[in-house]
Amino acid sequence: MVGEVAPDRLILHEVHRFPNQPTRVMGTLHWNILSLYQGVLDGLGAAATHAAARATPGTTPRTNPRTTHSAGLTSIGIDTWAVDYGLLDASGALLANPVHYRDTRTAGTAGKVAAVLPPPALYAATGLQHLPFTTIYQLMAARGTPALAAAHRLLLIPDLISYWLTGEAGTELTNASTTQLIDPRTRDWAGPVAEALGIDLALFPPLRHPGDPAGTLREEVLAETGLTAPTPVTAVGSHDTASAVVGVPATTRDFAYIATGTWSLAGLELDAPVLTEASRAANFTNELGVDGTVRYLRNIMGLWMLQECVRAWGAQGIRTTRTDLTALLREAAEAPPLRSVVDAGDPAFLAPHHMPDRIDDACRRTGQPVPRTPAETTRCVLDSLALAHRRAIEDAQRLSGRKVRVVHIVGGGAHNALLCRLTADACGLPVVAGPAEAAALGNVLVQARAAGAVSGGLADLRALLHSTQPLRQYEPTGDRSAWDRAAARLAEAQATGQVTEAASGQGHEEEPCV
């Protein structure tokens, strides 16, 4: 994405898109990191071409020359998903392909960590909800492996890409806060946690904050991309949700956000973490945001469930095109509401493949009608997500003491009108949908502020978003009694042990949302 930013102007151009396809090798699921890096290089080449075209006489002139160098790019900012990492040796070479957080290697490590640091103590120190694949669990699973033994540096995925572009290593804070090795009160490393678990914090390079310089492109990168001027890389909210929350076009502090993608991240922006036992029991996380904020949220399985259903149906020759998907959502809107709902935090939905079957199984376990058609399954998924959104926002208000007047849905789910309408009805609050590319916009705005193209705090950046981005508002309709009954039905199933209560997830790392 290339962003053009001025005090009264914010335009985003998509110049390159490439696939992110994890690969299973010898039983382990890996990120294809070299393919992703090549995609970044190709994207920078496309950005250079785009900038050159904008600068050519006879084309649309630049409206803000202060924000461009001679190569046409002021800076580059990188955001990705959280928790995963690459290990480097003393020469800076990558020791192994990064392992995907969905891989099963962390199975059983939570118990090992709990034996050293009981969950209440770990939460009090780091403020993160229980997720079975955070970086501490991955490092526990990797203990004794040759790669970890030989490692000189550990770089989280956006920091790894930044390092390859610039040759300079750092650890950006918002993403570091997802490792479960950061104290959200001091916004620094949680030394006692690392020491108790035998994790060497010296593996991590120094912390960076959003807006900090992160080096300039190496000559090799300039040559490969066609960029000619020294181009800086700027640290942004490198956890995609941190950038997405910057990209919420709120006009008041009394807002909740739902950053939708592969996952739904539903919660509030706070000034300080909530580290109470009640917060831990409710499985809320305190991740760090831009400008000293805290992202107080719950991770919900998200549109991953529907994506996997669509993938399964496509493999059967059913509904494989975007046109078919539009028709599917239209049919789902006409399907009986709240006929069946499932727990969108159930880890049964974490793994890929066979999602429609797993949804059917969850309905059987809870004594509800099994969906009979793709439209009914889609309605079940969207009703369940809306119900999970409602529960997260209500719990966040209760635990933080902050009241909410409006819900902002950003990310790919902002395009899903049915999900937005159901969320408004479930929450009993107006929903403002958009922008869909909130993470890219938040990324660009942090860079632009660092470069002096805009100024002010988050409220000022969001005012620019609100005045320049297309938004759609959904008002709640009808009473909430049907939602109350569905919530009670699901709570009863959870209380009797028919549903495993566990929230899992993070950012929007995989595929476009449906």
Side-chain angles (χ1 to χ4, degrees), residues 6-29:
D8 60 351
R9 180 179 175 86
L10 177 55
I11 300 175
L12 206 60
H13 304 275
E14 181 182 313
V15 297
H16 184 60
R17 185 175 288 271
F18 55 97
N20 181 358
Q21 296 175 325
T23 303
R24 192 173 297 280
V25 181
M26 301 293 287
T28 300
L29 189 63

Side-chain angles (χ1 to χ4, degrees), residues 134-362:
T134 54
T135 312
I136 62 167
Y137 298 119
Q138 294 199 36
L139 289 172
M140 291 289 283
R143 183 165 293 170
T145 61
L148 186 58
H152 178 72
R153 275 279 182 255
L154 184 156
L155 295 177
L156 300 170
I157 297 299
D159 300 322
L160 176 61
I161 294 173
S162 178
Y163 172 71
W164 282 341
L165 292 175
T166 67
E168 297 187 21
T171 306
E172 192 278 316
L173 179 62
T174 69
N175 210 18
S177 74
T178 71
T179 64
Q180 218 155 5
L181 289 167
I182 291 286
D183 185 330
R185 297 159 298 191
T186 64
R187 304 179 78 87
D188 203 347
W189 296 110
V193 170
E195 182 177 359
L197 297 177
I199 295 172
D200 182 7
L201 289 178
L203 284 171
F204 293 87
L207 290 171
R208 290 171 174 158
H209 297 79
D212 285 352
T216 58
L217 295 186
R218 295 182 298 112
E219 290 295 329
E220 172 188 320
V221 175
L222 293 174
E224 183 160 351
T225 60
L227 294 166
T228 57
T231 304
V233 174
T234 301
V236 296
S238 71
H239 183 196
D240 53 6
T241 309
S243 281
V245 173
V246 174
V248 172
T251 58
T252 173
R253 284 178 54 85
D254 302 328
F255 72 92
Y257 57 82
I258 307 172
T260 58
T262 302
W263 305 93
S264 283
L265 297 310
L268 310 178
E269 182 176 75
L270 302 179
D271 297 323
V274 179
L275 302 176
T276 62
E277 177 60 17
S279 180
R280 184 192 72 83
N283 222 19
F284 268 78
T285 203
N286 294 270
E287 296 171 352
L288 300 184
V290 173
D291 287 3
T293 58
V294 172
R295 291 176 285 122
Y296 186 61
L297 59 89
R298 177 182 289 152
N299 294 333
I300 298 163
M301 204 65 65
L303 285 164
W304 159 258
M305 296 171 67
L306 185 52
Q307 289 168 204
E308 282 297 291
C309 286
V310 170
R311 195 194 317 275
W313 295 326
Q316 302 169 23
I318 304 171
R319 303 186 184 280
T320 57
T321 70
R322 184 170 294 278
T323 300
D324 290 334
L325 179 58
T326 300
L328 177 63
L329 292 172
R330 184 170 59 248
E331 292 169 18
E334 298 169 356
L338 298 169
R339 180 171 178 265
S340 301
V341 291
V342 298
D343 178 10
D346 192 330
F349 303 123
L350 178 62
H353 306 304
H354 310 297
M355 188 64 72
D357 294 340
R358 280 181 276 153
I359 291 170
D360 291 352
D361 289 343

Side-chain angles (χ1 to χ4, degrees), residues 329-391:
L329 292 172
R330 184 170 59 248
E331 292 169 18
E334 298 169 356
L338 298 169
R339 180 171 178 265
S340 301
V341 291
V342 298
D343 178 10
D346 192 330
F349 303 123
L350 178 62
H353 306 304
H354 310 297
M355 188 64 72
D357 294 340
R358 280 181 276 153
I359 291 170
D360 291 352
D361 289 343
C363 291
R364 289 190 192 95
R365 288 198 311 271
T366 53
Q368 301 177 93
V370 173
R372 298 163 296 187
T373 65
E376 288 189 0
T377 299
T378 299
R379 185 57 185 256
C380 173
V381 168
L382 296 182
D383 281 345
S384 301
L385 289 179
L387 199 60
H389 294 165
R390 157 187 155 135
R391 182 180 174 192

Side-chain angles (χ1 to χ4, degrees), residues 34-51:
L34 296 183
S35 176
L36 294 178
Y37 180 62
Q38 185 60 55
V40 171
L41 294 176
D42 293 343
L44 289 175
T49 300
H50 173 86

